Amino acid sequence: MPANTGFSARHKAARKWGTHDPLQRLPTVVIGAGPYGLATAASLSAAGTPRRVFGEPMECWDTNMPAGMYLKSVPAASSLSAPEPGYRLEDFRSARGLGPVGDRYPIPVEEMIDYGRWFQERRVPEVERQKVRTVEHVDGLFAVTLDSGEEFLAENVVMATGQVPFAHEPAELADHLPAELVSHTSRHRDLTRFSGQRVAVLGAGQSALESAALLHEAGALPTVIVRAASVAFGSPPDTDRPSGRPRRVRIVKPGSPLGPGWSLLACSYGGGAFRHLPEGLRMRLLHSVLGPSGGWWLRHRVDDRIPVLCGRTVRSSGVEDGVVRLEVTDADLRTEVLRADHLLLATGYRVDVDRLGLLAPELRREVWTFDGAPRLSSGFESSVPGLFFTGLAAAPTFGPVLRFVAGNGFAARRVAGAVAAGPRNRP
């Protein structure tokens, strides 16, 4: 049952914590200062909502994505959302004296990090560079404890913690190997540490293929293991601008932030409708729309340079003579043994509320979920009144666009609107 959010509960919690007048409007806390957290904070600011925003700006991008990486998203789909003009990627480039770019320009991760911090400094200067240690549910409010030891109450909490907490490491592989021999791609900023080593890369998507390319260029010896019959790469855009495509082509395959095509257009702008689909269908679409593939600009760095073993399934993993030993079968059930100095898991992310350790166990148990993901209202609110989830955590509800930067504006507006409406007026 929803917790009591009336005056008596507020008074009781405020008296217990001794930090606030029970009649004072408590802040909305945003946890995370990546694209989704910053966009949400900007929208809350425009609505005049009291707020506190915690996190190191663009920290996950800076510490959990490899140096030399490029974004798969095009520049037109990579801006952070603000309620007023002047904060898009093109504005950042102009302010830095850089020229305009179009869809044929892969964005270096270093540029995206600089842009996110530029946005934060100008639009969300109130970010507090502290970590939240715990969030508890206290009489309809949220008791927040920081690593500094500060404790305070909040009316709402927005979880914008990104994708890293949801890194998926298949237990049947990772549990049979010591930690120094296996890792997820999200753990690595610098892949040059593997120079001279044999690295087995498991996966077929952008993370696997780009990590393999970066490993090769760093002097490592990568081998990509793919369960599918082949790997896919995107096609280079016909023009730098969607408007430059012939009208007939635009009608057949209209442009969208996720790419050309009616299905991608629907996913880009139909998050509100996506939420009403059956849960099983939503999960299938989440993983099949824009399934595993590499960016078009990546193909020449992989083809004929890196061994890619397609149609292979890893049946077992272990250690032999101090290195990783993998038993791999093909479509004809023939088995081969591969040895590597390290196994790199490019196995994606799976949303699971229980992976968010900063939420107290009792609070996590209050969140209604499906397949581990939170069930969310149209305003991104969970079953716990006042607890919101955005970014990848909301993708199982609102669709694939929430896997990319492109979805941050839709999410920020919805969250800010629901917070402003208050608990009695939320849909």
Side-chain angles (χ1 to χ4, degrees), residues 411-427:
R413 291 186 294 272
R414 290 266 179 139
V415 172
V419 168
R424 293 185 178 180
N425 299 309
R426 291 170 190 159

Side-chain angles (χ1 to χ4, degrees), residues 355-370:
R355 301 285 294 275
L356 298 173
L358 62 85
L359 297 180
E362 297 81 3
L363 177 53
R364 295 200 301 269
R365 285 194 290 270
E366 290 184 63
V367 179
W368 297 348
T369 63
F370 65 99

Side-chain angles (χ1 to χ4, degrees), residues 274-287:
F274 190 95
R275 173 177 165 268
H276 295 288
L277 296 175
E279 291 173 356
L281 177 57
R282 271 190 274 150
M283 296 303 288
R284 287 197 298 275
L285 290 173
L286 182 64
H287 294 105

Side-chain angles (χ1 to χ4, degrees), residues 197-271:
Q197 297 185 36
R198 298 167 297 173
V199 182
V201 182
L202 184 62
Q206 176 73 13
S207 178
L209 298 171
E210 188 168 25
S211 294
L214 291 168
L215 285 164
H216 172 74
E217 291 156 8
L221 303 170
T223 298
V224 182
I225 304 171
V226 179
R227 186 165 49 192
S230 62
V231 295
F233 292 91
S235 300
D238 296 331
T239 65
D240 258 337
R241 306 286 177 186
S243 59
R245 300 162 64 218
R247 185 170 181 272
R248 179 183 61 80
V249 175
R250 280 184 280 145
I251 292 174
V252 175
K253 284 193 170 184
S256 80
L258 297 182
W262 285 102
S263 62
L264 296 182
L265 183 71
C267 288
S268 296
Y269 298 110

Side-chain angles (χ1 to χ4, degrees), residues 128-192:
E128 300 177 53
R129 288 170 166 80
Q130 296 191 64
K131 290 189 181 296
V132 175
R133 184 188 301 166
T134 58
V135 178
E136 301 174 74
H137 206 197
V138 179
D139 295 310
L141 299 172
F142 298 94
V144 180
T145 303
L146 306 181
D147 269 354
S148 66
E150 180 187 354
E151 299 174 332
F152 64 94
L153 291 172
E155 187 168 343
N156 305 288
V157 170
V158 181
M159 297 294 293
T161 50
Q163 62 187 21
V164 173
F166 305 125
H168 174 58
E169 300 183 6
E172 63 272 19
L173 298 177
D175 289 356
H176 293 88
L177 296 170
E180 65 270 17
L181 296 182
V182 60
S183 60
H184 193 272
T185 51
S186 64
R187 297 191 198 174
H188 298 287
R189 172 63 175 161
D190 184 7
L191 292 172
T192 61

